[in-house]
Amino acid sequence: MKDFFIKLFMDLNAFLIRLTNRRIGSKLGTQTILLLETIGRKTGQPRVIPIAYFFHEGVYLIVASNWGKDKDADWYLNLLKTPRAKLTVNGKTILVEARAAQGDEYARLWKFATERHPPYLNYQKMTSRHIPIVMFQPID
């Protein structure tokens, strides 16, 4: 049931971001929200979700916390199959290539993300899985 309400909230938030031209839904607490469009790994259809992000060192970063659940988020699994995606940030759509941060890069970005949004530390405590950080590089 909890998953149903999370999906409902996310669908409503994406709708409000579009309807109000970002005036409602693009900021939730301390987090800034963008729209991420991936290609469904099973259906091949576009999938759009609102999700928190950071812009750091010329790339967009999204922490694939999935609310601390033990399974990876669908959007992350979609990106593993098709790493090209679209981000809608501040009303502008950007074509990007996604990849997961690794090694020292991951450690540095995890510190960056958790200093700005400490609840990610709680999500990590809730799950035994590694929480990926996805880097989105704009494609020219």
Side-chain angles (χ1 to χ4, degrees), residues 82-122:
T82 307
R84 287 221 168 168
K86 292 180 187 174
L87 304 179
T88 303
V89 185
N90 297 324
K92 181 180 174 188
T93 299
I94 305 163
L95 185 61
V96 293
E97 187 81 22
R99 71 173 181 83
Q102 302 291 326
D104 291 342
E105 177 183 60
Y106 177 86
R108 182 176 52 79
L109 294 176
W110 180 254
K111 183 177 186 307
F112 171 84
T114 57
E115 285 175 351
R116 281 148 189 81
H117 191 68
Y120 289 133
L121 295 169
N122 293 330

Side-chain angles (χ1 to χ4, degrees), residues 7-127:
K7 181 173 177 0
L8 182 65
F9 170 76
M10 292 178 68
D11 289 346
L12 178 61
N13 194 41
F15 173 76
L16 289 172
I17 289 170
R18 288 182 175 133
L19 179 70
T20 66
N21 196 25
R22 304 175 327 275
R23 287 187 303 278
I24 299 173
S26 63
K27 191 97 165 126
L28 294 175
T30 61
Q31 294 188 296
T32 307
I33 308 299
L34 59 71
L35 296 178
L36 167 63
E37 181 179 318
T38 61
I39 300 300
R41 67 194 177 284
K42 296 175 185 173
T43 65
Q45 298 299 310
R47 301 288 183 230
V48 178
I49 63 159
I51 195 160
Y53 76 98
F54 302 100
F55 188 75
H56 182 63
E57 298 177 351
V59 298
Y60 296 90
L61 306 173
I62 298 177
V63 178
S65 64
N66 200 22
W67 310 84
K69 294 179 189 170
D70 284 327
K71 72 178 210 84
D72 287 314
D74 288 339
W75 66 264
Y76 177 72
L77 297 173
N78 291 344
L79 287 171
L80 292 178
K81 182 171 182 188
T82 307
R84 287 221 168 168
K86 292 180 187 174
L87 304 179
T88 303
V89 185
N90 297 324
K92 181 180 174 188
T93 299
I94 305 163
L95 185 61
V96 293
E97 187 81 22
R99 71 173 181 83
Q102 302 291 326
D104 291 342
E105 177 183 60
Y106 177 86
R108 182 176 52 79
L109 294 176
W110 180 254
K111 183 177 186 307
F112 171 84
T114 57
E115 285 175 351
R116 281 148 189 81
H117 191 68
Y120 289 133
L121 295 169
N122 293 330
Y123 292 152
Q124 185 61 79
K125 289 176 188 173
M126 294 167 62
T127 183

